[in-house]
Amino acid sequence: MHHPVPYSPQPLGQPATPRAELTPFLTPNLMTVVTGARRRALRDGDRQIDTAHLLHSLVESDPEAGSAFDGGPQLARVLGYLVQRSIGYGLRWQRSEEDSGAGRLLPAPRGATSQDGRSSGWSPAAAAALEAAFRRAAERGEPQARGLDLLAVLAADPESRAVEVLRRAGVDPVALNSRIAARISAATAGREERHVPWGEGEPSQQV
């Protein structure tokens, strides 16, 4: 869902970061994705960092997330639509604010001035996706969210810009989430079969 707002050609002027309390719970690779999404929004002069920016950064910089797509051609189609966001279907995004049902499920961040994410530079849907990615990881007992967690959340929000791109590229979000679930399940099973050292001089722990 896109809500028209007064248009200003000025790009994001303030540092736009995810909720500060979330940053320790993102893997370094996912933090790279977040940073890349912000850089793309700044370069494009967009009002906010939205779910399509997150998707674009994921498919460019996270091989694990890219492997969840149904082959290289499908991934290439997704990337092709993302790089064309400044023309055609993406033009209206420059004059609207991304919102979705997911964005309305979360309370306001601590210290924020509004519930819609505008104070931090993130669209409501993008801010909600980052939090939901961490919650997915926490439910598995993992301390940090991964790119696959974020991709699953993006694909699960039918009103997001990320899902609009996926559908235009011929990607079934439900099938994508099924492949993500299979990969996460396999990775979790693999970790449970090996010992992970706590650190030098400390005993190993079965994960």
Side-chain angles (χ1 to χ4, degrees):
M1 183 181 303
H2 309 294
H3 299 300
V5 294
Y7 175 67
S8 169
Q10 296 180 346
L12 295 167
Q14 298 296 326
T17 60
R19 300 185 184 186
E21 63 267 32
L22 290 182
T23 54
F25 306 111
L26 306 178
T27 62
N29 196 38
L30 188 50
M31 279 303 304
T32 298
V33 169
V34 168
T35 301
R38 178 178 183 269
R39 186 181 303 115
R40 182 166 298 282
L42 286 168
R43 183 168 62 245
D44 294 344
D46 292 325
R47 294 179 59 86
Q48 292 182 320
I49 306 165
D50 60 28
T51 59
H53 289 123
L54 287 172
L55 178 63
H56 199 160
S57 191
L58 268 173
V59 300
E60 280 193 331
S61 61
D62 190 324
E64 186 179 45
S67 70
F69 288 87
D70 189 16
Q74 185 181 78
L75 184 60
R77 288 196 301 271
V78 171
L79 186 58
Y81 272 99
L82 287 165
V83 299
Q84 296 180 57
R85 71 171 289 159
S86 62
I87 62 175
Y89 72 95
L91 285 177
R92 70 185 184 282
W93 292 353
Q94 297 176 355
R95 298 176 178 270
S96 64
E97 175 184 280
E98 182 186 36
D99 196 2
S100 71
R104 293 189 292 273
L105 297 178
L106 299 173
R110 291 196 291 269
T113 58
S114 69
Q115 293 186 355
D116 62 8
R118 279 177 288 186
S119 60
S120 66
W122 292 83
S123 76
L130 288 168
E131 292 199 17
F134 163 64
R135 291 176 182 175
R136 280 176 55 93
E139 288 173 358
R140 295 194 306 272
E142 296 186 11
Q144 293 181 314
R146 299 157 57 188
L148 284 176
D149 291 308
L150 180 57
L151 182 60
V153 172
L154 294 177
D157 184 354
E159 299 180 15
S160 70
R161 293 176 179 176
V163 164
E164 181 176 346
V165 171
L166 291 174
R167 287 175 175 158
R168 285 178 177 272
V171 178
D172 180 356
V174 175
L176 176 60
N177 251 326
S178 295
R179 289 191 295 270
I180 292 170
R183 280 164 172 73
I184 289 180
S185 179
T188 300
R191 282 193 297 274
E192 290 175 348
E193 293 176 356
R194 67 177 184 269
H195 291 274
V196 179
W198 280 90
E200 186 176 353
E202 296 180 346
S204 297
Q205 180 191 31
Q206 182 75 27
V207 177

